[in-house]
Amino acid sequence: MKKILLFIAVLSFASCATSVIIPKAVNTVDAVSLRDLNLQKGDYQILNTVTAEATITYAESQNGAIQKIVGENNEFSLRYETTKRGRYCIHSGVVKLGYLSNDYDLNTSIHELTPEDVARRLAIYRLINQVMQYGADGAIEPVISTNIEQRGKNIIYKTAVRAKLVKLNTDN
Protein backbone atom coordinates (compact mmCIF):
# COMPACT_ATOMS: atom_id res chain seq x y z
CA MET A 1 0.00 0.00 0.00
CA LYS A 2 2.86 2.39 0.85
CA LYS A 3 4.40 1.74 -2.58
CA ILE A 4 1.13 2.63 -4.33
CA LEU A 5 0.77 5.88 -2.33
CA LEU A 6 4.39 6.78 -2.99
CA PHE A 7 3.93 6.10 -6.72
CA ILE A 8 0.79 8.32 -6.80
CA ALA A 9 2.62 11.11 -4.94
CA VAL A 10 5.60 10.98 -7.30
CA LEU A 11 3.31 10.90 -10.33
CA SER A 12 1.34 13.93 -9.14
CA PHE A 13 4.53 15.95 -8.52
CA ALA A 14 5.94 14.97 -11.91
CA SER A 15 2.79 16.14 -13.66
CA CYS A 16 2.85 19.65 -12.16
CA ALA A 17 3.60 22.23 -14.81
CA THR A 18 6.56 24.43 -14.08
CA SER A 19 7.17 27.77 -15.70
CA VAL A 20 10.05 27.80 -18.15
CA ILE A 21 12.14 30.88 -18.79
CA ILE A 22 13.21 31.15 -22.41
CA PRO A 23 16.60 32.90 -22.65
CA LYS A 24 16.19 36.14 -24.54
CA ALA A 25 18.01 39.41 -25.11
CA VAL A 26 16.00 42.59 -25.68
CA ASN A 27 17.16 45.93 -27.16
CA THR A 28 15.17 49.10 -27.77
CA VAL A 29 15.97 52.28 -29.72
CA ASP A 30 14.09 55.47 -30.52
CA ALA A 31 13.02 55.70 -34.14
CA VAL A 32 11.67 59.01 -35.41
CA SER A 33 11.43 60.95 -38.65
CA LEU A 34 13.73 63.90 -39.33
CA ARG A 35 10.70 66.20 -39.28
CA ASP A 36 9.76 65.06 -35.75
CA LEU A 37 13.25 65.89 -34.45
CA ASN A 38 12.74 69.57 -35.32
CA LEU A 39 16.50 70.08 -35.62
CA GLN A 40 18.49 72.43 -37.80
CA LYS A 41 21.07 71.06 -40.25
CA GLY A 42 23.98 71.79 -37.89
CA ASP A 43 22.31 70.00 -34.95
CA TYR A 44 22.85 66.47 -36.24
CA GLN A 45 24.91 64.32 -38.53
CA ILE A 46 23.68 61.33 -40.52
CA LEU A 47 26.40 58.71 -40.08
CA ASN A 48 25.23 56.07 -42.50
CA THR A 49 22.24 54.18 -43.86
CA VAL A 50 22.29 50.59 -42.69
CA THR A 51 20.27 47.44 -43.31
CA ALA A 52 19.80 44.51 -40.97
CA GLU A 53 18.19 41.22 -41.97
CA ALA A 54 16.78 38.18 -40.23
CA THR A 55 15.43 34.91 -41.55
CA ILE A 56 13.49 32.33 -39.58
CA THR A 57 11.89 29.04 -40.57
CA TYR A 58 8.47 28.00 -39.33
CA ALA A 59 7.01 24.51 -39.50
CA GLU A 60 3.81 23.06 -38.12
CA SER A 61 2.70 19.47 -37.64
CA GLN A 62 -0.21 18.23 -39.71
CA ASN A 63 -2.69 18.58 -36.85
CA GLY A 64 -1.20 21.88 -35.61
CA ALA A 65 -0.25 20.45 -32.21
CA ILE A 66 3.45 21.16 -32.76
CA GLN A 67 4.88 24.41 -34.09
CA LYS A 68 8.57 25.07 -34.51
CA ILE A 69 10.40 28.37 -35.10
CA VAL A 70 14.10 28.11 -35.96
CA GLY A 71 16.52 31.02 -36.40
CA GLU A 72 18.93 31.04 -39.32
CA ASN A 73 22.08 29.05 -38.63
CA ASN A 74 20.17 27.36 -35.76
CA GLU A 75 21.05 30.20 -33.36
CA PHE A 76 17.81 29.47 -31.49
CA SER A 77 14.75 27.25 -31.74
CA LEU A 78 11.32 27.32 -30.16
CA ARG A 79 9.15 24.23 -30.30
CA TYR A 80 5.60 24.65 -29.03
CA GLU A 81 3.60 21.54 -28.23
CA THR A 82 -0.09 21.61 -27.41
CA THR A 83 -1.38 18.65 -25.44
CA LYS A 84 -4.46 17.96 -23.35
CA ARG A 85 -2.49 19.27 -20.37
CA GLY A 86 -1.59 22.63 -21.94
CA ARG A 87 0.94 24.30 -24.20
CA TYR A 88 4.63 23.67 -23.62
CA CYS A 89 7.77 25.15 -25.10
CA ILE A 90 11.03 23.35 -25.68
CA HIS A 91 13.79 25.79 -26.60
CA SER A 92 17.45 26.13 -27.33
CA GLY A 93 19.72 29.11 -27.82
CA VAL A 94 18.91 32.75 -27.04
CA VAL A 95 16.02 34.52 -28.74
CA LYS A 96 17.12 38.08 -29.57
CA LEU A 97 14.39 40.69 -29.81
CA GLY A 98 14.62 44.37 -30.74
CA TYR A 99 11.98 47.06 -30.47
CA LEU A 100 11.59 50.54 -31.94
CA SER A 101 10.41 53.42 -29.74
CA ASN A 102 7.14 52.60 -28.04
CA ASP A 103 6.42 49.18 -29.57
CA TYR A 104 7.89 47.30 -26.59
CA ASP A 105 5.06 45.73 -24.60
CA LEU A 106 6.10 44.23 -21.28
CA ASN A 107 2.87 42.22 -21.23
CA THR A 108 3.64 40.30 -24.42
CA SER A 109 4.99 36.85 -23.73
CA ILE A 110 7.37 35.14 -26.12
CA HIS A 111 4.68 32.45 -26.31
CA GLU A 112 2.37 34.99 -27.98
CA LEU A 113 4.79 36.11 -30.71
CA THR A 114 4.02 34.95 -34.24
CA PRO A 115 6.81 33.72 -36.52
CA GLU A 116 6.56 37.04 -38.38
CA ASP A 117 7.00 38.92 -35.07
CA VAL A 118 10.11 36.87 -34.27
CA ALA A 119 11.69 37.63 -37.68
CA ARG A 120 10.84 41.33 -37.36
CA ARG A 121 12.15 41.60 -33.80
CA LEU A 122 15.38 39.78 -34.66
CA ALA A 123 16.05 42.13 -37.60
CA ILE A 124 15.38 45.17 -35.38
CA TYR A 125 17.70 43.70 -32.72
CA ARG A 126 20.46 43.50 -35.32
CA LEU A 127 19.77 47.07 -36.47
CA ILE A 128 20.08 48.31 -32.88
CA ASN A 129 23.45 46.57 -32.60
CA GLN A 130 24.58 48.55 -35.65
CA VAL A 131 23.34 51.78 -34.01
CA MET A 132 25.60 51.00 -31.05
CA GLN A 133 28.57 49.97 -33.22
CA TYR A 134 28.47 53.28 -35.11
CA GLY A 135 28.10 55.27 -31.89
CA ALA A 136 24.84 56.74 -33.16
CA ASP A 137 22.17 58.27 -30.96
CA GLY A 138 19.28 56.67 -32.83
CA ALA A 139 17.79 55.41 -36.05
CA ILE A 140 15.58 57.65 -38.14
CA GLU A 141 12.98 56.82 -40.74
CA PRO A 142 13.18 53.02 -40.42
CA VAL A 143 11.66 50.99 -43.23
CA ILE A 144 10.73 47.39 -42.44
CA SER A 145 9.97 44.81 -45.10
CA THR A 146 8.96 41.19 -44.54
CA ASN A 147 8.74 38.53 -47.24
CA ILE A 148 7.04 35.21 -46.61
CA GLU A 149 7.47 32.17 -48.83
CA GLN A 150 6.82 28.48 -48.58
CA ARG A 151 9.50 25.86 -49.26
CA GLY A 152 7.96 22.44 -49.01
CA LYS A 153 6.39 22.18 -45.57
CA ASN A 154 8.45 25.07 -44.18
CA ILE A 155 7.44 28.71 -44.23
CA ILE A 156 10.35 31.16 -44.48
CA TYR A 157 10.03 34.64 -42.96
CA LYS A 158 12.68 37.11 -44.08
CA THR A 159 12.68 40.64 -42.67
CA ALA A 160 14.93 43.54 -43.63
CA VAL A 161 15.11 46.80 -41.66
CA ARG A 162 16.73 49.84 -43.24
CA ALA A 163 17.32 53.10 -41.35
CA LYS A 164 19.54 56.16 -41.26
CA LEU A 165 21.81 56.39 -38.24
CA VAL A 166 21.91 59.85 -36.68
CA LYS A 167 24.30 61.39 -34.18
CA LEU A 168 23.30 64.57 -32.40
CA ASN A 169 25.92 67.30 -32.23
CA THR A 170 26.62 68.39 -28.69
CA ASP A 171 28.45 71.40 -27.26
CA ASN A 172 30.83 69.18 -25.25
Side-chain angles (χ1 to χ4, degrees):
M1 183 67 166
K2 286 183 182 180
K3 288 182 182 180
I4 293 173
L5 288 175
L6 180 62
F7 176 75
I8 292 172
V10 169
L11 185 62
S12 66
F13 283 121
S15 66
C16 292
T18 60
S19 61
V20 175
I21 303 296
I22 297 172
K24 67 179 180 177
V26 177
N27 286 345
T28 61
V29 69
D30 284 331
V32 296
S33 70
L34 274 175
R35 188 175 24 148
D36 292 340
L37 288 175
N38 196 24
L39 297 172
Q40 302 300 317
K41 185 70 174 162
D43 294 338
Y44 66 93
Q45 175 184 8
I46 294 179
L47 301 177
N48 203 352
T49 300
V50 296
T51 301
E53 295 181 340
T55 303
I56 63 114
T57 303
Y58 174 77
E60 188 173 293
S61 66
Q62 214 168 10
N63 65 359
I66 299 173
Q67 295 110 23
K68 189 169 184 180
I69 299 172
V70 179
E72 58 192 322
N73 303 321
N74 292 316
E75 56 191 319
F76 69 89
S77 71
L78 301 169
R79 178 184 165 112
Y80 298 105
E81 294 185 20
T82 304
T83 66
K84 292 178 183 178
R85 301 171 87 194
R87 186 169 184 197
Y88 300 93
C89 181
I90 301 166
H91 59 85
S92 67
V94 178
V95 180
K96 298 172 182 171
L97 307 172
Y99 295 85
L100 298 173
S101 296
N102 298 326
D103 69 349
Y104 182 54
D105 183 3
L106 290 172
N107 297 320
T108 301
S109 164
I110 196 158
H111 298 286
E112 298 167 3
L113 294 176
T114 66
E116 185 175 354
D117 289 333
V118 174
R120 177 184 172 97
R121 300 290 171 213
L122 180 55
I124 293 170
Y125 178 89
R126 291 176 176 166
L127 176 84
I128 293 168
N129 285 338
Q130 290 186 48
V131 170
M132 292 186 295
Q133 286 173 355
Y134 277 91
D137 293 311
I140 58 172
E141 301 178 354
V143 176
I144 302 172
S145 172
T146 300
N147 294 315
I148 304 168
E149 65 180 78
Q150 188 160 1
R151 294 183 194 155
K153 294 183 179 183
N154 294 331
I155 300 172
I156 310 301
Y157 292 82
K158 185 173 185 176
T159 299
V161 182
R162 181 180 171 102
K164 294 174 181 72
L165 302 184
V166 66
K167 181 150 184 80
L168 301 176
N169 295 332
T170 60
D171 293 335
N172 297 337

